[in-house]
Amino acid sequence: MSNAIDNINFANIDNAIKMLNKYANETSIKPLISVLEALREDIHNESLLAQLTDTWRNLGVYQGTVLTYVPYFYTLIPDDIFGDDLK
């Protein structure tokens, strides 16, 4: 996961939080915003990055909402964004 942490951009995280707070009012997205806020404060925390991935994968149909307002969100996830490689 260290490569993923190296690729995370503080400005992208900050912008994602702003866009989701402004345009995505769904309660289901609030946990994702909370993880992003924590990651913004501690950008090199691998545990938070893993939590971000888990929270993302549990969004279900709301993944589409996130990608609508934050199309670069996939760059924040260190591996297969949709979990297709999981067995």
Side-chain angles (χ1 to χ4, degrees):
M1 271 195 209
S2 61
N3 287 343
I5 290 175
D6 293 341
N7 293 329
I8 290 183
N9 180 309
F10 176 86
N12 284 348
I13 292 173
D14 193 52
N15 187 58
I17 293 166
K18 289 176 185 174
M19 294 298 288
L20 292 173
N21 278 325
K22 185 173 183 178
Y23 297 110
N25 296 326
E26 290 83 3
T27 304
S28 298
I29 294 176
K30 300 299 180 196
L32 183 71
I33 295 170
S34 294
V35 175
L36 286 169
E37 289 171 340
L39 192 58
R40 179 179 58 187
E41 299 302 317
D42 189 4
I43 203 162
H44 297 290
N45 187 321
E46 289 189 24
S47 175
L48 286 173
L49 192 58
Q51 188 177 352
L52 179 69
T53 301
D54 290 340
T55 304
W56 162 259
R57 290 201 175 123
N58 289 320
L59 281 179
V61 297
Y62 293 107
Q63 288 178 338
T65 302
V66 172
L67 291 174
T68 296
Y69 299 112
V70 187
Y72 58 84
F73 188 83
Y74 70 92
T75 65
L76 303 177
I77 301 294
D79 55 4
D80 177 25
I81 190 168
F82 294 110
D84 293 336
D85 291 337
L86 298 178
K87 300 203 187 269

